[in-house]
């Protein structure tokens, strides 16, 4: 007979990390960072038909200091890359990034000098969402998958070590223009 059977009804046993993860996943505050056609689909997701408010994402924040989720929707130009990084750096910890669309994920059809070939060369990305442009249902599905990832996120020094490792990997990533002919 375990401890659960001896407790009165209505008593829940869990860990601090479990409660913190549940609260974080239920209260994402996304930053507005729409750059191209994917931004229209992102705005549609916040409308009455799809209603992101069901998932605790009531308002898209205009200030990065009030946001903990950056949805990069669309292609990122070389001139916009430092601005993207500055906004990411201004967001408080913990923070997550969702690359929405094939242009944000890999540069899309724009394989030239002006477009960053994947936003993961600038900021660490937690979730990639393919499509050109991805439908609002796909964005909601990616957000729900990110909810699962956030709920299982560690706290404290383990989280800081994970963030530093992800950023180091993203900053040392080989550009896709140099990956031609490589088979992995």
């Amino acid at each position: 007979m375990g401890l659960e059977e001896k407790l009165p009804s209505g008593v829940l046993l869990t860990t601090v990390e479990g409660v913190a993860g549940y609260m974080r996943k239920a209260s994402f505050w996304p930053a507005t960072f729409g750059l191209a056609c994917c931004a229209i689909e992102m705005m549609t997701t916040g409308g009455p038909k799809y209603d992101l408010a069901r998932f605790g994402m009531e308002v898209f924040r205009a200030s990065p200091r009030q946001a903990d989720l950056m949805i990069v929707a669309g292609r990122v130009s070389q001139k916009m890359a430092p601005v993207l990084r500055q906004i990411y750096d201004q967001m408080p910890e913990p923070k997550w990034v969702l690359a929405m669309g094939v242009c944000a994920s890999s540069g899309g059809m724009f394989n030239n000098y002006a477009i960053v070939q994947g936003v993961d060369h600038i900021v660490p990305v937690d979730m990639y969402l393919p499509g050109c442009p991805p439908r609002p249902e796909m964005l909601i599905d990616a957000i729900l998958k990110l909810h699962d990832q956030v709920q299982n996120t560690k706290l404290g020094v383990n989280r800081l070590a994970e963030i530093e490792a992800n950023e180091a990997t993203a900053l040392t990533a080989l550009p896709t223009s140099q990956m031609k002919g490589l088979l992995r």
Side-chain angles (χ1 to χ4, degrees):
M1 182 178 236
L3 179 65
E4 291 83 11
E5 287 91 19
K6 293 185 178 185
L7 292 173
S9 65
V11 174
L12 176 68
L13 297 177
T14 186
T15 63
V16 172
E17 282 185 347
V19 171
Y22 181 79
M23 296 303 166
R24 284 181 181 163
K25 83 167 194 165
S27 63
F28 270 154
W29 287 4
T32 52
F33 206 83
L35 298 169
C37 45
C38 290
I40 303 299
E41 299 295 327
M42 182 176 65
M43 288 182 261
T44 303
T45 308
K49 184 174 181 181
Y50 298 101
D51 192 23
L52 273 179
R54 296 178 292 164
F55 307 109
M57 300 174 66
E58 192 69 37
V59 180
F60 280 83
R61 301 293 168 178
S63 169
R65 289 179 179 89
Q66 297 175 345
D68 56 2
L69 171 65
M70 176 186 283
I71 302 175
V72 181
R75 61 189 175 271
V76 178
S77 66
Q78 295 289 348
K79 285 188 174 185
M80 186 57 75
V83 176
L84 175 77
R85 183 64 197 204
Q86 181 181 9
I87 290 174
Y88 176 80
D89 289 339
Q90 289 176 352
M91 291 171 61
E93 290 290 343
K95 53 190 168 187
W96 296 275
V97 177
L98 193 149
M100 181 179 178
V102 69
C103 293
S105 298
S106 66
M109 64 194 92
F110 304 102
N111 189 9
N112 60 34
Y113 66 92
I115 304 298
V116 174
Q117 300 300 303
V119 75
D120 55 352
H121 292 285
I122 304 162
V123 294
V125 176
D126 297 296
M127 183 71 62
Y128 294 92
L129 176 58
C132 185
R135 298 273 310 138
E137 296 92 347
M138 295 172 67
L139 178 58
I140 290 173
D141 182 58
I143 289 169
L144 292 177
K145 288 179 181 173
L146 192 59
H147 278 183
D148 294 337
Q149 183 179 341
V150 167
Q151 187 165 5
N152 297 320
T153 300
K154 299 293 180 196
L155 296 177
V157 291
N158 295 332
R159 172 75 177 146
L160 294 176
E162 181 183 16
I163 290 169
E164 289 174 4
N166 288 343
E167 284 193 11
T169 303
L171 293 174
T172 59
L174 186 66
T176 54
S177 60
Q178 295 177 4
M179 293 179 146
K180 294 180 181 175
L182 296 177
L183 295 174
R184 292 190 180 170

